[in-house]
Amino acid sequence: MSSLLPPRTPDRGRVADDLHDLRHRRPLVAVALLGGIGTATATLVVCLAIGILGWFISDMGAHGEPSDALRVAALGWLLGHGSGVLVSGVAVTLVPLGLTLVLAWTMWQAAIRVGDSVSLHGPDANALADGERDLTVPVVAGLFTLGYTATAVTTAIVAGTPETAPSILGVFTWSVGLCLVVALPAISVGSGRAALWITLLPRAAVDVLVMVRSILVWWFAVSTLLFFAALFADFTTSINVVSQLHLDVGGIILYSLLAVLVLPNAVLFSSSYALGPGFSVGVGTTVTPTAVTLGPLPMFPMLAALPDNGAPPAWVAAVMALGPLTAFVAVCRAQRHRPTLRWSEGALRGVSAGVVAGLLLAVLSGIAGGAVGPGRMLDVGPYAGQVLVNAIAFFGLAGLLAGLTMTWWHRRSLPADASA
């Protein structure tokens, strides 16, 4: 009779739990190392494919061999890692931050998945409560960094030649920096540790970080709008530059791609201009809201956004009010959702967020410039030191005022005895 009974089926819930545990407890070393190697390789392969495509559409591949196109594409990928390159014996050190942002976005997505795959490694909640250390995230991030950096340095060694001489030290430094700034937080988020660690931070620290993000996001949006406004104000000059270059369809596509890759650099130039210090577009040049000194410039359409040589109209200096105004609005919006009734706390949070945002902006401004050619083009970029001073002053004071304003706003809705 037992043969007539239906076969026993496993507990579906238990099977699902086992599959979940296997998916989130994959081999830590292999996942982390291969994650770093795969992340670097994925973006490198895309750049190589674009290089071959550019070689093909440039007179149907009449210029050089496919291997030359692959080498140039690899060098372009390395430029996003701060390698620099020699062009006809002249060092080009400007980092196309648009490419770096693509690399960072890809790394974030991959590192999130790596963190999720190893999320069940490490001590459990009971062990953590007993004081056991959880080193899962640091170990995974270290192995991820090792895989990514090794791939980038190997590419620099293979693709580099005495004529191009990419900086291996620069590639190593930027690769490690990217992993620390991007991969480490992403692995923390993917593994679920970030959510736990945030709860351990003081509420005031979390509030400051939220305000810093708000200030920078709003300021980059304002700087982007300012750049495009300047570009479209003299759009005919940009079109004339394109026509004078006599580009074919392939050349226009490649120029457009180059413009996209350096767009974040242009936004940081615009940011420095709006804060007052301005920037240089060559040795002995300066572009500020109060004075513009230019010389001969390369034929590049985005340079049409530059103001005319000489003293700008007096009203242009009003652009420097955008910095404190933006910081004030950003802190007010953030503090509206994270209120406080204590005057000292509101003021301290606002000024701290402004100072930290100014410091981060100065660091980004410092890496936005570099050499882009021989002669006068050896010095191009924002004046990062002055950006540091102005940004901290503008954002800090605006954050202080916004913190006090929002504290007053929240206190005014309370009864007199409660707000005392």
Side-chain angles (χ1 to χ4, degrees):
M1 295 294 294
S2 61
S3 61
L4 299 179
L5 296 176
R8 297 181 63 184
T9 58
D11 185 351
R12 293 184 180 180
R14 183 174 182 180
V15 171
D17 291 341
D18 291 341
L19 291 175
H20 177 273
D21 291 347
L22 289 174
R23 187 165 55 250
H24 294 77
R25 199 190 290 271
R26 291 169 179 168
L28 185 147
V29 175
V31 168
L33 273 176
L34 292 177
I37 295 171
T39 302
T41 303
T43 52
L44 176 59
V45 169
V46 172
C47 286
L48 294 178
I50 294 175
I52 289 294
L53 179 62
W55 169 81
F56 183 78
I57 65 177
S58 178
D59 294 336
M60 300 299 290
H63 300 293
E65 299 295 329
S67 58
D68 298 326
L70 292 175
R71 188 179 300 277
V72 170
L75 292 174
W77 182 80
L78 291 170
L79 279 175
H81 294 84
S83 68
V85 68
L86 292 181
V87 179
S88 300
V90 178
V92 175
T93 60
L94 186 138
V95 180
L97 294 180
L99 176 57
T100 306
L101 285 177
V102 173
L103 298 173
W105 180 84
T106 305
M107 180 181 290
W108 178 272
Q109 299 298 322
I112 285 283
R113 291 175 172 80
V114 169
D116 180 67
S117 298
V118 299
S119 58
L120 291 184
H121 283 273
D124 56 18
N126 294 329
L128 290 175
D130 293 337
E132 185 174 345
R133 293 182 178 180
D134 184 5
L135 300 178
T136 303
V137 170
V139 170
V140 173
L143 293 171
F144 186 99
T145 301
L146 177 61
Y148 189 95
T149 304
T151 304
V153 170
T154 302
T155 303
I157 295 173
V158 173
T161 63
E163 291 76 21
T164 56
S167 171
I168 295 177
L169 178 60
V171 172
F172 176 82
T173 303
W174 274 72
S175 298
V176 172
L178 270 177
C179 291
L180 288 177
V181 174
V182 179
L184 177 59
I187 292 171
S188 303
V189 172
S191 64
R193 268 65 169 187
L196 174 64
W197 294 340
I198 288 177
T199 61
L200 302 178
L201 291 176
R203 179 177 177 271
V206 177
D207 292 342
V208 168
L209 292 177
V210 171
M211 293 178 191
V212 169
R213 182 184 63 180
S214 180
I215 292 173
L216 291 178
V217 168
W218 276 78
W219 180 240
F220 287 141
V222 169
S223 300
T224 302
L225 291 175
L226 184 63
F227 167 73
F228 280 110
L231 182 63
F232 287 121
D234 203 2
F235 191 67
T236 54
T237 301
S238 180
I239 297 298
N240 291 335
V241 170
V242 174
S243 63
Q244 293 175 23
L245 290 172
H246 304 292
L247 300 174
D248 56 11
V249 175
I252 292 176
I253 293 175
L254 293 178
Y255 253 79
S256 301
L257 177 61
L258 178 60
V260 171
L261 293 181
V262 299
L263 178 59
N265 301 71
V267 170
L268 287 168
F269 280 48
S270 176
S271 164
S272 181
Y273 177 86
L275 288 172
F279 54 89
S280 67
V281 283
V283 177
T285 66
T286 184
V287 180
T288 71
T290 56
V292 178
T293 303
L294 299 174
L297 297 172
M299 299 284 287
F300 191 60
M302 291 180 71
L303 295 180
L306 292 173
D308 295 331
N309 200 28
W315 61 266
V316 174
V319 74
M320 289 189 290
L322 291 175
L325 179 61
T326 301
F328 179 85
V329 172
V331 172
C332 285
R333 287 178 58 88
Q335 196 152 315
R336 178 183 178 185
H337 302 288
R338 310 181 77 87
T340 179
L341 299 178
R342 298 173 58 186
W343 291 105
S344 59
E345 184 178 357
L348 183 59
R349 291 192 309 179
V351 71
S352 299
V355 170
V356 174
L359 178 60
L360 294 176
L361 182 61
V363 171
L364 293 175
S365 299
I367 65 177
V372 296
R376 299 174 62 254
M377 292 294 103
L378 291 174
D379 181 19
V380 174
Y383 300 120
Q386 298 178 40
V387 169
L388 174 64
V389 175
N390 286 27
I392 287 179
F394 289 167
F395 293 169
L397 291 175
L400 173 62
L401 181 59
L404 293 175
T405 300
M406 292 307 296
T407 302
W408 167 81
W409 178 265
H410 290 296
R411 289 171 64 95
R412 67 188 291 271
S413 60
L414 297 177
D417 54 346
S419 61

